[in-house]
């Protein structure tokens, strides 16, 4: 009998350790795949630890990577989650509270051939696409979400711009992808639209306008030179006809 109880205890501990180590890795991979599919770009999580008894989860280094630019669009250094642990294995994940801290946003943009390209518009387009969904049929609802200590970097190599500033903390209530939730994509869209407006205000300084104006002049001058070189022979013939 003693051996039987000892075996049960050993099996229970082994099963718990199996869930702790393999379960975290499995859920981490599922989260990365589903969020990447939902947002239309690769999302990585460097470290995830879930306490299945208390329903607490701790994640480090969450990166939302760019599509057409190098590096990441958003990086969340720390995320703490309180959830119903059993709901992880159901189709409806119930999340009570999420605390995101130390968030970095990189806004990259280029201006060439009179065309502006950046790393946010494609995400806005994907968020507006209601047919885009995750690879699983899981639903989730977040009762409360706080995002704190948010910093933004505005970068353009062509215009030699590198500006940094902070955003105010954000709070969301009852968001997710259930019928009773506020659509998380709509909420993200509002955040990015608001951030873009803030970026416009921050970079609309005399220094930026001077750089932009000089860049515009350079583009125009180059285009004129190209056209003159292409029509050089025509100009020569016209001059000859005038002389003769």
């Amino acid at each position: 009998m003693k051996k039987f109880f000892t075996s049960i205890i050993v099996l229970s501990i082994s099963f718990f350790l199996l869930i702790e180590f393999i379960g975290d890795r499995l859920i981490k991979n599922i989260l990365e795949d589903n969020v990447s599919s939902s947002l239309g770009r690769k999302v990585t999580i460097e470290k995830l630890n879930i306490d299945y008894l208390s329903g607490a989860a701790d994640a480090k280094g969450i990166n939302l990577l760019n599509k057409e630019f190098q590096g990441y669009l958003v990086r969340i250094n720390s995320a703490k989650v309180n959830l119903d642990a059993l709901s992880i294995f159901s189709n409806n994940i119930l999340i009570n509270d999420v605390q995101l801290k130390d968030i970095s946003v990189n806004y990259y943009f280029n201006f060439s051939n009179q065309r502006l390209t950046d790393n946010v518009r494609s995400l806005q387009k994907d968020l507006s696409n209601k047919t885009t969904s995750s690879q699983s049929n899981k639903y989730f609802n977040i009762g409360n979400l706080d995002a704190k200590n948010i910093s933004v970097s505005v970068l353009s190599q062509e215009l030699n711009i590198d500006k940094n500033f902070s955003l105010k903390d954000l709070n969301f209530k009852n968001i997710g992808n259930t019928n009773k939730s506020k659509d998380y994509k709509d909420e993200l869209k509002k955040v990015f639209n608001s951030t873009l407006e803030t970026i416009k205000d921050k970079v609309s300084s005399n220094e930026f306008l001077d750089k932009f104006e000089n860049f515009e002049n350079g583009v125009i001058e180059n285009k004129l030179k190209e056209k003159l070189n292409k029509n050089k022979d025509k100009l020569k013939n016209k001059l000859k006809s005038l002389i003769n």
Side-chain angles (χ1 to χ4, degrees):
M1 184 65 70
K2 185 177 180 180
K3 288 183 179 180
F4 175 76
F5 283 116
T6 302
S7 299
I8 293 294
I9 292 171
V10 170
L11 285 173
S12 299
I13 293 173
S14 299
F15 181 70
F16 177 75
L17 291 174
L18 187 68
I19 291 177
E20 283 289 331
F21 289 102
I22 296 179
D24 288 358
R25 189 180 303 171
L26 179 64
I27 292 172
K28 173 178 163 307
N29 292 338
I30 291 172
L31 280 173
E32 288 177 334
D33 290 342
N34 281 281
V35 178
S36 297
S37 174
S38 181
L39 296 181
R41 68 244 314 111
K42 189 172 180 60
V43 174
T44 63
I45 303 170
E46 293 173 6
K47 186 178 179 181
L48 176 65
N49 180 51
I50 302 173
D51 187 331
Y52 295 92
L53 296 179
S54 67
D58 184 15
K60 303 288 184 185
I62 303 171
N63 298 293
L64 175 62
L65 303 182
N66 288 308
K67 268 187 173 181
E68 300 174 2
F69 292 78
Q70 294 295 319
Y72 62 84
L73 170 57
V74 178
R75 176 180 170 84
I76 303 169
N77 284 333
S78 173
K80 294 186 181 298
V81 181
N82 178 270
L83 72 162
D84 181 343
L86 293 177
S87 70
I88 294 175
F89 304 100
S90 71
N91 289 329
N92 192 4
I93 302 175
L94 304 175
I95 303 170
N96 302 317
D97 183 69
V98 176
Q99 296 293 319
L100 307 179
K101 191 176 179 183
D102 299 332
I103 303 166
S104 302
V105 180
N106 282 334
Y107 177 68
Y108 295 110
F109 71 96
N110 288 327
F111 189 86
S112 60
N113 297 323
Q114 305 299 313
R115 182 172 176 265
L116 178 69
T117 57
D118 63 33
N119 61 334
V120 173
R121 295 189 188 193
S122 61
L123 177 60
Q124 289 177 311
K125 183 178 178 181
D126 290 336
L127 290 173
S128 299
N129 184 6
K130 295 297 183 181
T131 61
T132 303
S133 61
S134 64
Q135 294 176 347
S136 78
N137 59 351
K138 284 187 177 294
Y139 295 94
F140 71 93
N141 183 82
I142 302 174
N144 178 76
L145 186 151
D146 288 308
K148 298 180 179 180
N149 193 19
I150 308 169
S151 62
V152 178
S153 296
V154 182
L155 306 166
S156 176
Q157 282 187 326
E158 291 179 331
L159 298 178
N160 193 28
I161 292 173
D162 186 350
K163 295 181 76 74
N164 300 280
F165 54 90
S166 298
L167 295 179
K168 64 180 181 179
D169 294 345
L170 300 173
N171 174 262
F172 303 93
K173 301 288 187 185
N174 191 36
I175 63 171
N177 61 352
T178 69
N179 291 332
K180 297 180 180 179
S181 308
K182 296 177 186 174
D183 193 299
Y184 74 101
K185 288 188 177 182
D186 290 340
E187 297 302 308
L188 277 176
K189 239 186 345 178
K190 291 176 185 176
V191 170
F192 278 106
N193 288 338
S194 174
T195 302
L196 283 176
E197 290 300 318
T198 303
I199 288 171
K200 288 177 185 177
D201 291 339
K202 294 289 185 181
V203 300
S204 294
S205 61
N206 291 331
E207 179 188 1
F208 171 77
L209 293 175
D210 289 342
K211 288 179 180 178
F212 191 77
E213 185 179 347
N214 292 334
F215 181 77
E216 287 264 79
N217 289 337
V219 170
I220 294 169
E221 185 178 343
N222 289 333
K223 283 186 173 292
L224 286 173
K225 285 180 181 178
E226 286 177 10
K227 288 185 178 181
L228 285 173
N229 288 330
K230 285 181 181 178
N231 298 316
K232 192 190 301 181
D233 293 336
K234 289 182 181 179
L235 286 171
K236 282 182 179 179
N237 292 332
K238 283 186 178 182
L239 287 171
K240 283 181 181 179
S241 63
L242 287 173
I243 293 172
N244 295 332

